[in-house]
Structure formats: C-alpha cells, structure tokens
Amino acid sequence: MSDRMTPIPFGNLMNWILKEHKKGAIFGVRRPFVADPSHTYEIFGRKLETPFGPAAGPHTQLAQNIVASYVAGSRFFELKTVQKLDGEDLPVNKPCIKADDECYNCEWSTELYVPQAFDEYVKAWFACQVVAKEYGLGAMDGFQFNMSVGYDLEGIKLEKIDKFIEGMKDASETAIFKECRQWLLDNADLFEKVTKEDIEGISPEVCNCATLSTLHGCPPQEIERIARYLIEEKKVHTFIKCNPTLLGYEYARDMMDSMGYDYVAFGDFHFKDDLQYSDAVPMLERLQALAGEKGLEFGVKITNTFPVDVKAGELPSEEMYMSGKSLYPLSMSVAMKLAKDFGGKLRISYSGGADYFNIKDIVDAGIWPVTMATTMLKPGGYQRLEQIGQIFAKDEAKAFEGVDAQRVAQLVEAAKTDKHHVKAVKPLPSRKIKRPVPLTDCFVAPCEEGCPIHQDITTYLKLMGAGKAEEALEVILLKNPLPFITGTICAHNCMSKCTRNFYETPVNIRRTKLEAAEGGFEAVMAKLKKPEITSGKTAAVVGGGPAGMAAAYFLARGGVKTTLFEKEEKLGGVVRNVIPGFRISDEAIDNDAKLIEAMGVEIVTGREIGSVDEVKTDYDYVVLALGASTPGVLRLEKGEAMNALEFLAQFKATDGNLDLGENVVVIGGGNTAMDTARAAKRNKGVKKVSLVYRRTKRYMPADAEELEMAIEDGVEFAELLSPVKLENGVLYCKKMVLGDYDASGRRGVVETDEVVEVPADTVIAAVGEKVPGAFYEANGIALDNRGRVQADQETLETSVAGVYAAGDGLYGPATVVEGIRDGMKAAEAILGRSVAEDLFSLSDEGKIYGRKGNLMEEDGKDVDSKRCLSCNSYCENCVEVCPNRANITLTVPGMERHQIIHVDYMCNECGNCKSFCPWDSAPYLDKFTLFANKKDMEDSKNQGFVVLDRETGACKVRLQGKVTDYVAGTASDVVPEGIAKIIGTVIRDYAYML
C-alpha cells in the first residue's frame, strides 16, 4: 500500500460512470441533484446553477471526486491548490484528516504532481459536462471551475505553474484535452443524449478565475504582488483567500473560549506574523480598483483554515489546521468586518463551516459562492449536497447586489449560541465498538452494540415508524422488562453511539421506547399470561430495584417459581425512593411493576432480608440485588456534609420542604450530584445552589444531558475548587488550575494557595456510594481488595454456590440498564439458556438510502424513527466519507447484505474513514482490499486480492498474512465462501474497477 493515489484514465473513468449508473449511482451518489437550467446565478461572466460546491481540498483532488460532487449538486468547484512543491516532494503526514466533530487536517495542496492535477481537472471538466447532458442534471455550461494557486510569486511564476494556469485558461492544445475529446467522439454511440456536436462544443476554456492562497506569514507586499500578477498578466478574475488571523489573537481566543473551544490551543505567533487587518483593507481597496480598471472581478475568499497546536495526538504533526463548525464564527467575523468597512461592495466568497443549516443565511447575506469540505467528510458524504441543492432550487437566483453587513453581524451573534457551532458541554464519547471490523458482513447498529442488554433497537424503531406500538413494546419486553423507567431516565448509551450524532443529533431512542410503552401498554397487558412453571427449582431475588425486578421477570418468564423481596413498601429501589419526582413519576414505575407481577412473580414488600441463610433454605437460587447502600463520606477539616442519597430521599418524602437555608453547596460531579443540585434548587427557601468540583464541567463524570439540565435549572457551577472546611455559613475551598495535557488530551489539575469562599448554609456531598461489603462478609461471600464481590464475570455467581450478585451492589453505582443487564445475566445462568435471541430484518433499501445525507433535526411531534439509518442493514459510513471513493459498496449474489471492499489505488491514506467506522478499525487498512497489480499488493499488508487474468479469474489472495493462488468461482479450503463470492462479483459485475 502507498499513500499515493493513481489517477483513473479518462476512458476508464467514463466506463465506470456509465456502468455504475446502471446500478443506480455515480461514484456512490444515489440521489442526483437535477438543476433547472433557467434558474442560474452568474459570476465571472459564467453561469452557476447552484451557488455552492467543494472547497479546495480532498473533494477536488481527483476527477472522480469532482464528478461525485457535481452529481450531488455542486456547481462551483474550488480546485485543490497547486504550488511548486508537489508529488513526492510534498511532505504530508498521514493520516491527515480528523473530522469526527470540528475538523482538523495537516494536508494542504495537491498531493499529485502539477501536470497530473491539471489532467484530473480537465478530465473532470469533460466528465461533468457529459454527465449533465446524458442524465439530465443541468446545462453543460451550468458550472464553473476555480483554480487555486499558491503560495508565493516565485513559485507561481515557475514553468509548471505557469503552464498549469495557461492550460486552465485554454486547454485546447494540451494532450489531455485532446485525449478526452477524442475518446468521447470515438465512443459517442455509448450515449443516448450526448451528441457529437455536444462533445465538439465543449469549451477548452476550463477556468477564467483564480483564488490566491498564501502561507501563514506571507508579507502583505508579496500577497499584493501575486494578486497584481494574476490580474494584470494572467488576466483572470481573482479572489484572495484571507486568514482568520485578521481578527487578532484576543478576539479569536475570546470567541473560542466562550463557545466551549477553550481546549483548542494556539499562540499569538500567527496573528503577529500574518497579514494585519490595517494593512489588508488598503491593499484590498487598491486591488479592487485595479481589477475594475481591467474589467475583471475581484474579491476575497473567507477564510483559510486556522492553525492550532496538536495537543492530544489528534494527527501526526505538531500543528494542524482547524475547520468546520468551530471555524464558522471566526470566518463570519472576518466577513462581518470586511462587509462593514467596504460598505458591502467587496465581493466575498465563503468557506468555513458552511453546511445545510447555515448556507441559506450565508447566501441571503450576499456571500457566495460558498464552498464546503467538513460536512462532506462526515457520514452522508457527497450526498449531503443534494439536500443543499434543494434549498436553492426553491429560491429565485439573485444577482450580486452587495454584502449585507448587518445581516452578517447577526449571523456572527447567532453563531455564539447556535447548537450546531457551540462545542458540546462534555467531550464526545467514543462511538467505537471495541472489536476489529470483519472482512465480510460488517454492517452493525452501534446503538444496539452500545446497549448493555443489546436491545433490538432498529427493529422496534421500524415498528414504531409503522405505527405499531403494541408490536414494538413486545420486542422491547423481550430484553427489557422496565420500558417505562428506561424510556424516561435511561442513560441511553445507545444514543451516544448513534450515527446521527455525526449528522446533527441522535435518534431519540429513549423517547421512542417510552412512546411504545405508553402506546402499547394496555394491549400488551391484556395479552400477557402468567408463564407456566416448567422448572422444579425456585429462586429468591433480594432487592426490588431495577436489577432485582429484571432478574425476577426473566426467571419467572423462563418457568422458575420466583419470589421478589423488597424492604420498602413498593418496588423501584433508588428510582422510586431517591430519584426526584421531576425526573420520573410514580405511575411510570408502577407500570413496570405491573409487568413484573404479570409474569407471576410473588412480590413480598416491607421485608428486609438480614442474611442469605434466611432465604437460602427455602430457595434453590438467590439473587442479591442489594444496591450500593453504604454512603460515601466526604471528610472536611471542619464541619459536616449531608449525604446526597439521604438528602434526595428526604426531599422526595417531604416534597421539597427541607430546611436547607438560602445557600446550598453540592460537592461532586456525577449524575447523582446533578440530581441533588436540581432538587436543592427546587427546595423551599433555597435561593442559590453552587456545584463545587475540582475540575471543569468538561471533565465531570456526569452525562452531558444531566449537566445541561442542571445548567438550564440555574445551578451555578463553581469549577476548579477543592473543598477544605465548612465554617460559619461558608465553604472554604482551595483554588485549582488546569495543568498540562496528558497523552490522552486530558488536562490535569494543580492546587494553588488561593482560597475561595462559597456561601453555604448546607453542604451536600455526592461523592459516590459503596457496595454493602459488611453484609457480604457476614454471609461468607468473598470480596476483592476493593471491597467488591468476587463474582464470575459471565454468570455473576458469587463464591457461595447458587448465590448471585447483581446491580449497584455488585461493583458500585451503575445505570438502570446496567442493572437490567446484571439481572438478565443472573437469570440466564440459573435458567441455563439465553432469555432472548437477537432480532434482525433487512430494512427497505430505498427508504434508508433516501435518508442518507439528509440533515434533519428531531421533531418532537413525530415518531423519531424516521431519522433512523438502519446501520445494521446499510452502514456504509466508510464509503460515504471517503473523498476519493476508495471504499466501495458491492451487491453480492447470495449474501443478504451489501459488502464493502477497499480499492487500494484510489486511496491516499487520509484516514477519514477510520473516524467514522463503528468498529475499532480503519477500513483503509482493515477491509478486504482490491489491488491494481501484484506490486501494489506486495507493498501492502492489507488482506485482499489482485486479479491477474479477468478471463480465467486467476487471482492472488492474501488472508491472515498468507498469499495463495485462487481462481474465481472454484472451491477453496483457504478462501472462505464469503470472500470467494466477493472476488467473483468484482470480476463479473464490477470489472470497471479493475
């Protein structure tokens, strides 16, 4: 494997397009955008059917990238920058892209040699015009190419760059232009709508405009000299790409900090070294006047990417370039300043975090064309452009009449609180499954993999989408006996894993579960029958919280006579007795209790079991679901803190009428601390609640949702404080400061001598509860050196035969669904079988492909299942996010789901697919790979194959490091059936890739 791409010859490129189109796509784009040729913008004296397209970057480096972008809706293409360093002489560290949230890259100009880049752009110029006519996507002249050149005048004047510029202006005498034209003429019979006259009419004037890109630190005099050269000598319309550093260090730092990007590290070096705003304005005025004299258009491109420091090993470099949602407020701020100071008369082209959610506002402010990269690097990929195209298909194309400075200022202000641009309150959780990607059948639903009980989420989402709440609830109950509790307060790890997080927000799986429970409860209860007792054994479950309720449910459903003991008067455990009523109602808990009763469980409340022997003599099996009942202790030098669980229980019992005083301090940063603070805020007489934690919000263990709810309720976060003593209504704390970054990117804290006083009539400590170790020891149950039960990891059986431990009492406080998981594990161990099998049915292909690439926020009035991407039916993230189209979806006869292969010669190892593969893998390294020739295969370690003879099917195949000869279609002891089918399918149905 090499990180050098191999351009596809023009004839092969066109053959690929024609053959793949018959399968319903063009370079993976399944929904083409169809433009209205009468509905056009105009710039540089040429038409534009839409005012957007790909930025100079990974999406405009190869011909197929440009074609895919065109098919999806792009009509303005800022071609990847050419400069004097190219090909093997250009150092690019790989992987070079990380786009899972805001985007970072450490690549810059084209990785091809400049003549190769020229050829790619000419091939794309022809291909896009042919595709436009042949498939009715728009007028052949409805799009434009914009060349990007850099980085200094000396380099731009080099022969290879000068030849590139002149060739883009008029390619008629170039070899590639003649080759493309001749191939089309020779193969005109392959087309139904494209005629020879159309082919002969394709203009050799590929490009009449340029964007000047300069390196950080380029002097203003040099920038002006290059621009003058392009205007006066090259006679091209010219845009100058500006840097966000025009804003000044303080402005940029304050903006980033206020929007949650305080961890993004950058110094003031570039701000001092780059073009200064005071120099930029007069320079731009002079160039604007010069272009006007020459009859050319002039403007600025806002903005370049933003240089920041690598602090957490994000990419293999010391510096990387930030783009995407965090760049947007900076780029728009530059646009705001220039629009104001030029009275809106300076033309602005835009790039910097534009996407479906903001592009219309940008264009309506008079800023266009708009180019994008980050949004296309995320799942949906190029297909996202089609939805953007539909925005402009609805509006009348307007001529440029100036930039509305006031409107731009409003966009900057709105961005400061826009959820699409503000950083999440907590670092994003890993969405990876901690297993390597399989070579075949790799599609998986991350939501189901992330669920501790592996609920059949995609199945019940489909049923809810079809209006079948009863059937959906039946599916849920196969693995989850507490749909009301989990539908209300589940920590929803499933939603953290949802692929739609890379679009906008996750599918609201928890809400959909609750809707199924509420919509199907009566019908399901009417049908539920007490299961027949089929076992001669009996079981006692001690503890009526979530783990105990689940264990009892599954045991009874499995035919075991089961008794559930609970020391309180009602089932529910911490959920009923501690979690505040504003979080979950008693009615919801009661409904789940009814489901347990319906299974025939004998429920004994108001009885506390003092020892295992008390029940062991009467039952064959005992499940201890005791909860983490031993309170954690916060030791202060002076004064005492109230325990959080005790407070929450009293708050609930008194309906918030505790005597706490006006100022309450909660110490802790977990979910219990958030519940405590929110409850205290609602308590009678309390005016201020402060939450003290020794780190910042970003490093609190609480779930992001819990943090956000506490903030919304008005809880004040006293960050970077370590409590010392409580005295005379004041909590004295040591001030902490953030330390250096560790290898994981997390910052440590360092104590200072500064003391901070926090008003505190009552202090409540939410510092974690512990398992009831004394109870276990008294009953002969072995503990580890941390005081936790030594239990079998698979069965949860303790050192006492027939006695199992589950829930919070096993390893400490956990989530409700983890308690259900433990109850299920114990029940399965006792039953000797699984309580439920996984459900799967292939989703409708047309429906799911119709959702891919479409950004759509949750509609609280509609069932959210309509946003589900059915990842276990059609994942394809790696296919969608690859700019070069190097990961390919195959339809393989005899295999239920599509298969993915990696095409080695199209890949430059940018690494983007690694960010979005749900497995702990990088598809460009780990998926079954098609090689162009034996040498490429020898240079790689990837498992894969090379076709030596298409006619005979002779191949070489490498699996698990061993290379073997194989003939497609024959039986083999070495090549598994699925791999054999993939190889045969490529040779037979996808020969255009060979």
Side-chain angles (χ1 to χ4, degrees), residues 197-219:
E197 289 75 21
D198 291 326
I199 297 165
E200 290 169 344
I202 292 176
S203 171
E205 296 175 4
V206 178
C207 188
N208 68 350
C209 56
T211 294
L212 167 60
S213 184
T214 59
L215 293 174
H216 290 282
C218 186

PDB file of all heavy atoms in Angstrom, residues 197-219:
ATOM      1  N   GLU A 197     -22.004  16.749 -31.622  1.00  0.00           N
ATOM      2  CA  GLU A 197     -22.000  18.214 -31.603  1.00  0.00           C
ATOM      3  C   GLU A 197     -21.796  18.732 -30.176  1.00  0.00           C
ATOM      4  O   GLU A 197     -21.093  19.721 -29.956  1.00  0.00           O
ATOM      5  CB  GLU A 197     -23.311  18.760 -32.177  1.00  0.00           C
ATOM      6  CG  GLU A 197     -23.475  18.571 -33.687  1.00  0.00           C
ATOM      7  CD  GLU A 197     -23.798  17.128 -34.069  1.00  0.00           C
ATOM      8  OE1 GLU A 197     -24.281  16.372 -33.188  1.00  0.00           O
ATOM      9  OE2 GLU A 197     -23.546  16.759 -35.224  1.00  0.00           O
ATOM     10  N   ASP A 198     -22.422  18.051 -29.213  1.00  0.00           N
ATOM     11  CA  ASP A 198     -22.221  18.433 -27.814  1.00  0.00           C
ATOM     12  C   ASP A 198     -20.753  18.297 -27.420  1.00  0.00           C
ATOM     13  O   ASP A 198     -20.190  19.168 -26.756  1.00  0.00           O
ATOM     14  CB  ASP A 198     -23.064  17.547 -26.890  1.00  0.00           C
ATOM     15  CG  ASP A 198     -24.558  17.811 -27.015  1.00  0.00           C
ATOM     16  OD1 ASP A 198     -24.937  18.965 -27.254  1.00  0.00           O
ATOM     17  OD2 ASP A 198     -25.329  16.840 -26.854  1.00  0.00           O
ATOM     18  N   ILE A 199     -20.150  17.189 -27.836  1.00  0.00           N
ATOM     19  CA  ILE A 199     -18.758  16.914 -27.482  1.00  0.00           C
ATOM     20  C   ILE A 199     -17.839  17.955 -28.117  1.00  0.00           C
ATOM     21  O   ILE A 199     -16.943  18.504 -27.474  1.00  0.00           O
ATOM     22  CB  ILE A 199     -18.356  15.491 -27.916  1.00  0.00           C
ATOM     23  CG1 ILE A 199     -19.200  14.456 -27.164  1.00  0.00           C
ATOM     24  CG2 ILE A 199     -16.863  15.245 -27.695  1.00  0.00           C
ATOM     25  CD1 ILE A 199     -19.149  13.068 -27.761  1.00  0.00           C
ATOM     26  N   GLU A 200     -18.071  18.224 -29.378  1.00  0.00           N
ATOM     27  CA  GLU A 200     -17.234  19.203 -30.086  1.00  0.00           C
ATOM     28  C   GLU A 200     -17.440  20.609 -29.539  1.00  0.00           C
ATOM     29  O   GLU A 200     -16.572  21.475 -29.663  1.00  0.00           O
ATOM     30  CB  GLU A 200     -17.558  19.166 -31.586  1.00  0.00           C
ATOM     31  CG  GLU A 200     -17.073  17.882 -32.251  1.00  0.00           C
ATOM     32  CD  GLU A 200     -17.616  17.699 -33.662  1.00  0.00           C
ATOM     33  OE1 GLU A 200     -18.606  18.399 -34.000  1.00  0.00           O
ATOM     34  OE2 GLU A 200     -17.080  16.861 -34.413  1.00  0.00           O
ATOM     35  N   GLY A 201     -18.584  20.822 -28.886  1.00  0.00           N
ATOM     36  CA  GLY A 201     -18.880  22.150 -28.346  1.00  0.00           C
ATOM     37  C   GLY A 201     -18.327  22.394 -26.952  1.00  0.00           C
ATOM     38  O   GLY A 201     -18.479  23.497 -26.400  1.00  0.00           O
ATOM     39  N   ILE A 202     -17.696  21.382 -26.363  1.00  0.00           N
ATOM     40  CA  ILE A 202     -17.132  21.568 -25.018  1.00  0.00           C
ATOM     41  C   ILE A 202     -15.952  22.529 -25.099  1.00  0.00           C
ATOM     42  O   ILE A 202     -14.982  22.294 -25.806  1.00  0.00           O
ATOM     43  CB  ILE A 202     -16.700  20.217 -24.410  1.00  0.00           C
ATOM     44  CG1 ILE A 202     -17.937  19.351 -24.130  1.00  0.00           C
ATOM     45  CG2 ILE A 202     -15.906  20.430 -23.107  1.00  0.00           C
ATOM     46  CD1 ILE A 202     -17.629  17.953 -23.616  1.00  0.00           C
ATOM     47  N   SER A 203     -16.060  23.605 -24.355  1.00  0.00           N
ATOM     48  CA  SER A 203     -15.076  24.681 -24.428  1.00  0.00           C
ATOM     49  C   SER A 203     -13.746  24.260 -23.808  1.00  0.00           C
ATOM     50  O   SER A 203     -13.715  23.607 -22.754  1.00  0.00           O
ATOM     51  CB  SER A 203     -15.597  25.921 -23.697  1.00  0.00           C
ATOM     52  OG  SER A 203     -14.571  26.892 -23.574  1.00  0.00           O
ATOM     53  N   PRO A 204     -12.635  24.653 -24.424  1.00  0.00           N
ATOM     54  CA  PRO A 204     -11.322  24.386 -23.819  1.00  0.00           C
ATOM     55  C   PRO A 204     -10.985  25.392 -22.716  1.00  0.00           C
ATOM     56  O   PRO A 204      -9.975  25.224 -22.030  1.00  0.00           O
ATOM     57  CB  PRO A 204     -10.364  24.529 -25.002  1.00  0.00           C
ATOM     58  CG  PRO A 204     -11.027  25.515 -25.907  1.00  0.00           C
ATOM     59  CD  PRO A 204     -12.511  25.253 -25.783  1.00  0.00           C
ATOM     60  N   GLU A 205     -11.816  26.411 -22.551  1.00  0.00           N
ATOM     61  CA  GLU A 205     -11.568  27.425 -21.530  1.00  0.00           C
ATOM     62  C   GLU A 205     -12.116  26.913 -20.192  1.00  0.00           C
ATOM     63  O   GLU A 205     -13.221  27.237 -19.775  1.00  0.00           O
ATOM     64  CB  GLU A 205     -12.210  28.747 -21.932  1.00  0.00           C
ATOM     65  CG  GLU A 205     -11.586  29.327 -23.194  1.00  0.00           C
ATOM     66  CD  GLU A 205     -12.283  30.581 -23.678  1.00  0.00           C
ATOM     67  OE1 GLU A 205     -13.223  31.050 -22.979  1.00  0.00           O
ATOM     68  OE2 GLU A 205     -11.908  31.106 -24.740  1.00  0.00           O
ATOM     69  N   VAL A 206     -11.329  26.063 -19.572  1.00  0.00           N
ATOM     70  CA  VAL A 206     -11.754  25.375 -18.354  1.00  0.00           C
ATOM     71  C   VAL A 206     -12.006  26.359 -17.230  1.00  0.00           C
ATOM     72  O   VAL A 206     -12.943  26.211 -16.443  1.00  0.00           O
ATOM     73  CB  VAL A 206     -10.692  24.336 -17.927  1.00  0.00           C
ATOM     74  CG1 VAL A 206     -11.091  23.640 -16.622  1.00  0.00           C
ATOM     75  CG2 VAL A 206     -10.476  23.313 -19.040  1.00  0.00           C
ATOM     76  N   CYS A 207     -11.209  27.394 -17.157  1.00  0.00           N
ATOM     77  CA  CYS A 207     -11.268  28.259 -15.985  1.00  0.00           C
ATOM     78  C   CYS A 207     -10.825  29.674 -16.340  1.00  0.00           C
ATOM     79  O   CYS A 207      -9.839  29.856 -17.060  1.00  0.00           O
ATOM     80  CB  CYS A 207     -10.350  27.665 -14.913  1.00  0.00           C
ATOM     81  SG  CYS A 207     -10.457  28.445 -13.337  1.00  0.00           S
ATOM     82  N   ASN A 208     -11.537  30.673 -15.825  1.00  0.00           N
ATOM     83  CA  ASN A 208     -11.147  32.075 -16.052  1.00  0.00           C
ATOM     84  C   ASN A 208     -10.973  32.843 -14.745  1.00  0.00           C
ATOM     85  O   ASN A 208     -11.008  34.067 -14.720  1.00  0.00           O
ATOM     86  CB  ASN A 208     -12.174  32.781 -16.948  1.00  0.00           C
ATOM     87  CG  ASN A 208     -13.516  32.961 -16.270  1.00  0.00           C
ATOM     88  OD1 ASN A 208     -13.760  32.415 -15.195  1.00  0.00           O
ATOM     89  ND2 ASN A 208     -14.400  33.739 -16.897  1.00  0.00           N
ATOM     90  N   CYS A 209     -10.812  32.087 -13.647  1.00  0.00           N
ATOM     91  CA  CYS A 209     -10.732  32.737 -12.338  1.00  0.00           C
ATOM     92  C   CYS A 209      -9.776  31.963 -11.437  1.00  0.00           C
ATOM     93  O   CYS A 209      -9.559  30.770 -11.635  1.00  0.00           O
ATOM     94  CB  CYS A 209     -12.110  32.817 -11.691  1.00  0.00           C
ATOM     95  SG  CYS A 209     -12.926  31.210 -11.526  1.00  0.00           S
ATOM     96  N   ALA A 210      -9.225  32.674 -10.463  1.00  0.00           N
ATOM     97  CA  ALA A 210      -8.272  32.040  -9.554  1.00  0.00           C
ATOM     98  C   ALA A 210      -8.477  32.536  -8.135  1.00  0.00           C
ATOM     99  O   ALA A 210      -8.834  33.695  -7.910  1.00  0.00           O
ATOM    100  CB  ALA A 210      -6.840  32.321  -9.998  1.00  0.00           C
ATOM    101  N   THR A 211      -8.240  31.645  -7.195  1.00  0.00           N
ATOM    102  CA  THR A 211      -8.181  32.017  -5.789  1.00  0.00           C
ATOM    103  C   THR A 211      -6.721  31.924  -5.365  1.00  0.00           C
ATOM    104  O   THR A 211      -6.085  30.890  -5.567  1.00  0.00           O
ATOM    105  CB  THR A 211      -9.042  31.091  -4.926  1.00  0.00           C
ATOM    106  OG1 THR A 211     -10.424  31.272  -5.266  1.00  0.00           O
ATOM    107  CG2 THR A 211      -8.857  31.398  -3.444  1.00  0.00           C
ATOM    108  N   LEU A 212      -6.219  33.015  -4.808  1.00  0.00           N
ATOM    109  CA  LEU A 212      -4.842  33.051  -4.346  1.00  0.00           C
ATOM    110  C   LEU A 212      -4.779  32.582  -2.905  1.00  0.00           C
ATOM    111  O   LEU A 212      -5.400  33.153  -2.018  1.00  0.00           O
ATOM    112  CB  LEU A 212      -4.284  34.480  -4.455  1.00  0.00           C
ATOM    113  CG  LEU A 212      -2.968  34.748  -3.720  1.00  0.00           C
ATOM    114  CD1 LEU A 212      -1.866  33.845  -4.251  1.00  0.00           C
ATOM    115  CD2 LEU A 212      -2.579  36.217  -3.838  1.00  0.00           C
ATOM    116  N   SER A 213      -4.035  31.525  -2.687  1.00  0.00           N
ATOM    117  CA  SER A 213      -3.836  31.003  -1.344  1.00  0.00           C
ATOM    118  C   SER A 213      -2.393  31.234  -0.949  1.00  0.00           C
ATOM    119  O   SER A 213      -1.471  30.894  -1.692  1.00  0.00           O
ATOM    120  CB  SER A 213      -4.155  29.501  -1.307  1.00  0.00           C
ATOM    121  OG  SER A 213      -4.049  28.998  -0.006  1.00  0.00           O
ATOM    122  N   THR A 214      -2.184  31.837   0.209  1.00  0.00           N
ATOM    123  CA  THR A 214      -0.822  32.103   0.665  1.00  0.00           C
ATOM    124  C   THR A 214      -0.578  31.425   2.001  1.00  0.00           C
ATOM    125  O   THR A 214      -1.506  31.185   2.771  1.00  0.00           O
ATOM    126  CB  THR A 214      -0.565  33.613   0.815  1.00  0.00           C
ATOM    127  OG1 THR A 214      -1.489  34.158   1.750  1.00  0.00           O
ATOM    128  CG2 THR A 214      -0.693  34.314  -0.524  1.00  0.00           C
ATOM    129  N   LEU A 215       0.684  31.149   2.288  1.00  0.00           N
ATOM    130  CA  LEU A 215       1.037  30.539   3.555  1.00  0.00           C
ATOM    131  C   LEU A 215       0.940  31.564   4.678  1.00  0.00           C
ATOM    132  O   LEU A 215       1.049  32.775   4.450  1.00  0.00           O
ATOM    133  CB  LEU A 215       2.467  29.989   3.491  1.00  0.00           C
ATOM    134  CG  LEU A 215       2.710  28.812   2.547  1.00  0.00           C
ATOM    135  CD1 LEU A 215       4.196  28.495   2.493  1.00  0.00           C
ATOM    136  CD2 LEU A 215       1.927  27.595   2.999  1.00  0.00           C
ATOM    137  N   HIS A 216       0.722  31.064   5.891  1.00  0.00           N
ATOM    138  CA  HIS A 216       0.730  31.957   7.039  1.00  0.00           C
ATOM    139  C   HIS A 216       2.088  32.643   7.120  1.00  0.00           C
ATOM    140  O   HIS A 216       3.137  32.026   6.924  1.00  0.00           O
ATOM    141  CB  HIS A 216       0.448  31.170   8.320  1.00  0.00           C
ATOM    142  CG  HIS A 216      -0.972  30.690   8.404  1.00  0.00           C
ATOM    143  ND1 HIS A 216      -2.002  31.514   8.759  1.00  0.00           N
ATOM    144  CD2 HIS A 216      -1.523  29.487   8.142  1.00  0.00           C
ATOM    145  CE1 HIS A 216      -3.135  30.833   8.739  1.00  0.00           C
ATOM    146  NE2 HIS A 216      -2.870  29.600   8.362  1.00  0.00           N
ATOM    147  N   GLY A 217       2.058  33.942   7.362  1.00  0.00           N
ATOM    148  CA  GLY A 217       3.302  34.703   7.461  1.00  0.00           C
ATOM    149  C   GLY A 217       3.703  35.371   6.164  1.00  0.00           C
ATOM    150  O   GLY A 217       4.715  36.077   6.113  1.00  0.00           O
ATOM    151  N   CYS A 218       2.928  35.163   5.101  1.00  0.00           N
ATOM    152  CA  CYS A 218       3.257  35.797   3.828  1.00  0.00           C
ATOM    153  C   CYS A 218       3.096  37.315   3.964  1.00  0.00           C
ATOM    154  O   CYS A 218       2.034  37.801   4.373  1.00  0.00           O
ATOM    155  CB  CYS A 218       2.342  35.267   2.731  1.00  0.00           C
ATOM    156  SG  CYS A 218       2.767  35.851   1.079  1.00  0.00           S
ATOM    157  N   PRO A 219       4.119  38.117   3.631  1.00  0.00           N
ATOM    158  CA  PRO A 219       4.041  39.584   3.791  1.00  0.00           C
ATOM    159  C   PRO A 219       2.965  40.193   2.893  1.00  0.00           C
ATOM    160  O   PRO A 219       2.694  39.680   1.796  1.00  0.00           O
ATOM    161  CB  PRO A 219       5.434  40.069   3.363  1.00  0.00           C
ATOM    162  CG  PRO A 219       6.310  38.861   3.428  1.00  0.00           C
ATOM    163  CD  PRO A 219       5.422  37.691   3.131  1.00  0.00           C
TER     164      PRO A 219
END
